[in-house]
Amino acid sequence: MPDNASRLAVGVVGAGRVGAVLATALREAGHHVVGASGVSEDSVSRIETLLPGVPRLEPEAVVRGADLVLLTVPDDALEPLCAGLATVGAFRAGQLVVHTAGRFGVGVLSDAVAAGALPLAIHPAMTFTGTSLDRGRLADAVFAVTAPAPLLPIAQALVVEMGGEPIVLAEADRAAYHAAIVHAANHAVTLAAQSAAVLARLGVEEPGRVLSPVVHASIENALADAPGSVSSLTGPVVRGDAGTVAAHLGALAALPDTRSAYRAMARATADLALAGGRIGPAQYADLIATLGVEEE
């Protein structure tokens, strides 16, 4: 916990699922949360629940009263928000301005920097519920930090104070990093939801119970593999079972969105299996022919 001299007045602009939780973590580390903005019912509820006693203020007032500003808004809103706050003179020299967008480095904070603020990009690689459950999960989270070299120790220290582990990313690598996170996490949710819907159509009352063991094992095995390894791949594609793949496509004909996703992922899996030596060229060719070309 920081001593009195190093405690910061923290302001949160956008008390969504991420902002309220990170502010809670900084508060527990000894910093003082002086204000939070939020207009939706969910945001107001999070401020009241996770940050009791913290006043709900307009964004400009939050920024003016803070030594450390957390801009935790949707990615596309970040740059115009920063520009608007700069236009009204909310930022000041020496103020730490942090955003949590995975896609951006510190360039998106250029309007704040022009006012003398110190920019930090800190993205926690985890999903948030916006509840107190997230606080404990921060202890296992990796945070991608990007900042000018003199400011990197500050960004890293803030992450450590929140219980996370910092890794340093270059400005130019942020979009690719974020794409990897989204592809693994968000798209996995889509695949699970589509698979659960197929089982529900068959009358399975608790699709999650059917999917949970195999999905968890598959993900855990894949994450334990070395990058680029295909040793954890299982299923009809890596066995070269083109007939089974054809049967799956036929069974999914009534669910075109799920069928398209299955086809795309099966193609990607076949590419990995071929590159990793799990199937030969002839098996690969059969699989690709079976998967065919998506109809317009």
Side-chain angles (χ1 to χ4, degrees), residues 23-200:
T24 298
L26 289 170
R27 193 184 209 184
E28 292 177 1
H31 301 291
H32 180 45
V33 182
V34 296
S37 72
V39 295
S40 70
E41 290 185 10
D42 286 343
S43 293
V44 172
S45 176
R46 288 188 193 100
I47 294 171
E48 294 173 348
T49 303
L50 297 176
L51 299 169
V54 173
R56 185 162 63 92
L57 306 171
E58 292 299 315
E60 180 182 348
V62 171
V63 174
R64 289 186 183 278
D67 304 315
L68 167 62
V69 179
L70 290 176
L71 299 178
T72 49
V73 297
D75 292 5
D76 288 348
L78 183 55
E79 191 165 15
L81 171 66
C82 192
L85 290 169
T87 297
V88 298
F91 298 116
R92 66 176 184 274
Q95 186 179 44
L96 294 169
V97 178
V98 178
H99 78 72
T100 58
R103 165 187 166 193
F104 295 115
V106 295
V108 73
L109 301 175
S110 59
D111 288 306
V113 173
L118 308 176
L120 308 174
I122 298 176
H123 177 259
M126 62 174 276
T127 57
F128 285 79
T129 64
T131 69
S132 59
L133 294 174
D134 297 331
R135 180 63 192 95
R137 293 171 181 162
L138 288 178
D140 296 320
V142 172
F143 287 62
V145 300
T146 302
L151 301 181
L152 274 176
I154 298 174
Q156 292 167 314
L158 289 171
V159 170
V160 171
E161 283 189 334
M162 289 186 283
E165 177 186 348
I167 62 169
V168 177
L169 280 184
E171 182 93 7
D173 293 337
R174 295 285 295 203
Y177 151 81
H178 195 227
I181 299 295
V182 167
H183 192 42
N186 301 159
H187 297 170
V189 173
T190 301
L191 293 175
Q194 289 180 334
S195 299
V198 172
L199 294 177

Side-chain angles (χ1 to χ4, degrees), residues 221-233:
N221 290 340
L223 294 177
D225 275 350
S229 171
V230 293
S231 64
S232 62
L233 277 177

